[in-house]
Amino acid sequence: MEKKRLEIIGMSYSQSQTGAYALILGEVGGKRRIPIIIGGFEAQSIAIELEKMKPSRPLTHDLMKNFADTYNISLKEVVINKFVDGIFFAKLVWDQYNTETEIDSRTSDAVALAIRFRCPIYTYENILTEAGIIFDESSKDTKSKIVTEKKFKKNKYEDYSLNELNIMLKKAIDKEDYEKASVIRDEINRRK
């Protein structure tokens, strides 16, 4: 079965489950998107790596990457290989000394690792057909449809200076409050 490559389009708060997030993966070169409900910890881990933030101590996915690097194990690819009762399943395809091994994984963990290893994420046509959503092309920007809840709130950091924001960002990272750090980083980037 032919694999279809996916890319991360965005993340938003889940409208269907409290405390959860929707990770949106899109078909590379296509219009279909698959929304995957993930937990807060995994969403935080994915966001931290996407935003190139450096936590003061390694998160679980960072630890896994460090472990694999130490023992010459590379993550070759992630494949979202099943969709059963609304739940996505994934496998990690590892390579060590030209020996390939597949390990089952939660999709959220697989994506968090794929970002760290800079490896491709794939799925199959039948999963895109069953779970995929096609966005309206009349919209000028498909990505703009995926909006985080924080864009609807008044930005409480807009009254601070850049220097104050940088100090607050460092403190938030040191306290491992990555959600707050992400919002502060967004405000800093908005001003650039």
Side-chain angles (χ1 to χ4, degrees):
M1 196 177 320
E2 182 185 349
K3 293 184 284 192
K4 300 283 187 175
R5 187 154 183 184
L6 300 172
E7 63 184 338
I8 297 171
I9 301 297
M11 248 188 309
S12 66
Y13 290 105
S14 172
Q15 302 299 317
S16 63
Q17 293 183 21
T18 305
Y21 293 79
L23 171 66
I24 311 299
L25 299 177
E27 174 184 25
V28 172
K31 300 173 188 171
R32 293 177 290 184
R33 309 286 185 253
I34 54 175
I36 301 171
I37 303 301
I38 63 173
F41 172 76
E42 292 80 9
Q44 184 180 61
S45 182
I46 291 167
I48 285 169
E49 189 64 22
L50 286 174
E51 295 180 24
K52 305 292 185 223
M53 296 172 73
K54 295 294 176 205
S56 57
R57 296 181 299 159
L59 300 175
T60 305
H61 299 107
D62 299 319
L63 176 64
M64 183 77 174
K65 169 80 165 80
N66 294 339
F67 177 86
D69 288 346
T70 300
Y71 292 100
N72 278 335
I73 303 169
S74 63
L75 184 57
K76 183 177 172 184
E77 65 185 23
V78 163
V79 181
I80 300 170
N81 60 337
K82 286 192 268 183
F83 180 66
V84 180
D85 297 327
I87 299 170
F88 293 92
F89 294 80
K91 66 180 176 180
L92 305 169
V93 181
W94 298 96
D95 180 73
Q96 184 182 33
Y97 305 118
N98 295 319
T99 301
E100 205 170 275
T101 305
E102 294 180 2
I103 299 175
D104 288 331
S105 172
R106 292 186 308 174
T107 304
S108 55
D109 290 325
V111 170
L113 288 170
I115 296 166
R116 284 162 172 79
F117 281 89
R118 291 171 177 60
C119 75
I121 303 168
Y122 295 103
T123 194
Y124 297 112
E125 178 63 37
N126 62 319
I127 293 172
L128 278 170
T129 300
E130 185 177 350
I133 298 167
I134 298 176
F135 280 87
D136 180 13
E137 280 302 304
S138 64
S139 169
K140 63 181 176 186
D141 180 14
T142 304
K143 289 183 182 182
S144 68
K145 292 188 171 207
I146 302 161
V147 180
T148 59
E149 185 178 282
K150 62 186 169 197
K151 288 187 180 177
F152 294 109
K153 297 179 182 174
K154 181 181 180 328
N155 183 345
K156 65 182 181 181
Y157 297 107
E158 65 189 16
D159 296 328
Y160 291 96
S161 71
L162 274 175
N163 188 43
E164 291 171 319
L165 288 171
N166 282 312
I167 292 167
M168 290 178 1
L169 176 62
K170 181 169 180 2
K171 285 180 182 177
I173 291 172
D174 289 345
K175 290 181 181 179
E176 298 183 7
D177 186 352
Y178 302 117
E179 206 166 310
K180 181 177 179 180
S182 176
V183 174
I184 296 169
R185 167 84 41 100
D186 289 348
E187 177 61 21
I188 292 169
N189 288 339
R190 185 184 68 79
R191 294 183 188 190
K192 290 180 180 177

